[in-house]
């Protein structure tokens, strides 16, 4: 059995997220059905992490085991012929037997796109958050600096989430402005459920002056979900890159 | 009656084109229904030109007459509240009584986006032409220079089109490369039916070496539709801008 790794790009709009669900079409279901179609095998795929309904990926990493005679590099070609156009395999290659997309990852980068102008463009629907508020970018940049480092992110996790530890390390958090667009980029060793979307919701409140930098420092000490910003829409969220040793 | 001008952005994917059709939903039908909804009037809209099914607009110009008390600048706001998200009014203002979006125009600019890499990305579906051929960009740039000027474009018009004259003047034609993307930009005093899409089809054949620059010179003398390139997909075509005095 070979262990094959895929780099996936997808537009999450039409899917209920990466993970298989009873009541919706997932990326995983489409991908595994397509793998069955091209290999004849029942294949289970392992992603670097789930992405929620409507969340996009520029570089999701998935691995799976197969006895197929399709060469590792050919998988991208044969899968792209059969996959819907909103799910694309950018690359495929063989990896070590003990490689696991999630467990072997050393960091992940998400980006979140915000349109901070007057009218969200026709081409940005489902791909960008519309935020019409006047935002103090200096404060938001200072907030990014505070987010960096090891913290208890329990103020930034969905209330229904269950996880062993809420401690995570953020290696880099930054906000870039390009005309009326803002892109928040965050790299860390792992992310809690809804963490990036709650961080963005909190950054927006900081930009509006509704949450202070001091409030943020307290939030970063943990256990204060109610005082953090709201969970913003999945539309602007993209899993950009996963890194391995 | 005030003469109101709208600048429209739309994703053409879900529509049968700008113009009303019996067997499909057009931008015009949606726009006029929305105008009826907000003004109570039966309003006829006049575009700078039709765009075909699937063709997009970044700056379509439309005018209409109304007795509504809605102020000209407010039209963009009230229409955006009611229009589908893939049709947006970027701006609205009052114009002279004798202004006509089509007849008053002095130039139009279209752009055409081509992805010249290996796999069309999930985010480019319906928004970009996939072209996997190796292209000679120098030849294509030389071809752009030849296209500029006044020519009989009868080799570059859909065979079922009826028009008084096939003479048009192209003020500027250029091809820009940005990584694996190519953008053809063309500005002229007017365009024949399918003209930009046939010009792009011809440029691609020139890039592939299937049509020579000499062949192009002959095509630009007119009446040779069969020897020109094919009409490429509407996916990559955008009406970018219309200019007035």
């Amino acid at each position: 059995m070979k262990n094959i790794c895929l780099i996936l790009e997808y537009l999450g709009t039409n899917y209920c997220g990466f993970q298989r669900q009873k009541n919706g079409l997932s990326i995983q279901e489409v991908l595994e059905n397509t793998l069955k179609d091209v290999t004849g095998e029942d294949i289970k795929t392992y992603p670097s992490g789930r992405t929620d309904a409507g969340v996009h990926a520029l570089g999701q990493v998935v691995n799976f085991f197969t006895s197929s005679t399709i060469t590792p590099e050919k998988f991208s070609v044969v899968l792209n012929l059969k996959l819907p156009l909103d799910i694309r395999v950018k690359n495929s290659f063989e990896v070590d037997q003990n490689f696991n997309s999630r467990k072997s990852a050393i960091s992940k980068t998400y980006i979140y796109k915000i349109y901070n102008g007057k009218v969200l463009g026709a081409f940005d629907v489902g791909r960008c958050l519309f935020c019409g508020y006047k935002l103090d970018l200096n404060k938001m940049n200072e907030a990014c600096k505070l987010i960096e480092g090891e913290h208890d992110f329990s103020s930034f996790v969905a209330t229904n989430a269950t996880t062993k530890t809420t401690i995570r390390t953020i290696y880099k958090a930054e906000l870039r402005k390009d005309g009326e667009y803002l892109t928040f980029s965050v790299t860390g060793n792992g992310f809690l459920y809804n963490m990036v979307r709650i961080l963005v919701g909190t950054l927006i409140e900081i930009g509006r002056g509704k949450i202070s930098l001091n409030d943020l420092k307290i939030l970063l000490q943990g256990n204060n979900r109610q005082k953090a910003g709201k969970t913003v829409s999945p539309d602007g969220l993209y899993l950009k890159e996963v890194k391995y040793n």
Side-chain angles (χ1 to χ4, degrees), chain A:
Chain A
M1 299 273 275
K2 280 178 182 165
N3 189 4
I4 305 291
C5 180
L6 304 176
I7 313 295
L8 291 186
E9 174 173 296
Y10 50 78
L11 179 69
T13 312
N14 298 321
Y15 301 96
C16 66
F18 185 88
Q19 194 180 39
R20 262 180 199 273
Q21 305 279 343
K22 276 184 192 155
N23 302 315
L25 183 66
S26 61
I27 309 282
Q28 188 169 34
E29 183 174 341
V30 172
L31 182 60
E32 290 178 359
N33 287 350
T34 308
L35 281 167
K36 169 94 181 182
D37 188 16
V38 303
T39 63
E41 299 170 1
D42 287 306
I43 286 175
K44 170 121 179 86
T45 57
Y46 303 94
S48 72
R50 308 167 190 178
T51 52
D52 286 341
V55 173
H56 316 297
L58 300 170
Q60 170 68 290
V61 179
V62 171
N63 73 297
F64 62 89
F65 291 89
T66 177
S67 305
S68 168
T69 56
I70 298 169
T71 59
E73 288 68 27
K74 253 290 142 55
F75 265 105
S76 62
V77 178
V78 297
L79 288 171
N80 281 333
L81 288 173
K82 295 282 189 170
L83 282 167
L85 295 172
D86 54 7
I87 305 177
R88 298 284 89 189
V89 182
K90 294 169 82 177
N91 212 350
S92 62
F93 45 89
E94 190 175 357
V95 283
D96 275 2
Q97 286 292 315
N98 56 5
F99 174 90
N100 174 287
S101 296
R102 186 172 65 79
K103 292 176 189 160
S104 310
I106 54 166
S107 78
K108 273 190 207 171
T109 299
Y110 282 93
I111 61 171
Y112 196 96
K113 294 188 186 176
I114 300 167
Y115 172 74
N116 190 217
K118 273 193 201 165
V119 183
L120 185 72
F123 297 89
D124 287 332
V125 178
R127 300 173 179 213
C128 205
L129 176 76
F130 172 71
C131 173
Y133 300 117
K134 192 167 154 44
L135 299 173
D136 182 334
L137 297 187
N138 289 333
K139 280 232 177 84
M140 293 169 82
N141 281 321
E142 285 183 62
C144 285
K145 286 276 161 273
L146 293 176
I147 291 166
E148 291 180 352
E150 186 183 272
H151 304 284
D152 173 358
F153 284 97
S154 53
S155 302
F156 303 92
V157 61
T159 45
N160 59 339
T162 52
T163 178
K164 276 182 227 161
T165 169
T166 49
I167 308 283
R168 293 290 184 278
T169 301
I170 297 302
Y171 303 122
K172 198 168 179 64
E174 59 177 0
L175 193 71
R176 271 164 295 141
K177 182 174 157 64
D178 181 15
E180 292 174 315
Y181 292 90
L182 298 174
T183 303
F184 174 63
S185 171
V186 60
T187 302
N189 64 350
F191 292 89
L192 303 169
Y193 188 49
N194 282 352
M195 181 170 147
V196 181
R197 290 161 62 185
I198 300 169
L199 281 172
V200 170
T202 306
L203 276 176
I204 288 172
E205 295 306 308
I206 289 168
R208 293 176 66 196
K210 302 280 180 185
I211 292 179
S212 71
L213 292 170
N214 245 339
D215 294 337
L216 175 62
K217 285 179 194 166
I218 295 163
L219 290 171
L220 287 167
Q221 287 162 18
N223 295 312
N224 220 335
R225 174 69 192 95
Q226 289 71 25
K227 295 261 173 88
K230 66 172 185 174
T231 306
V232 292
S233 153
D235 290 359
L237 186 59
Y238 299 72
L239 172 54
K240 190 183 174 198
E241 195 180 11
V242 188
K243 282 205 171 154
Y244 300 90
N245 264 327

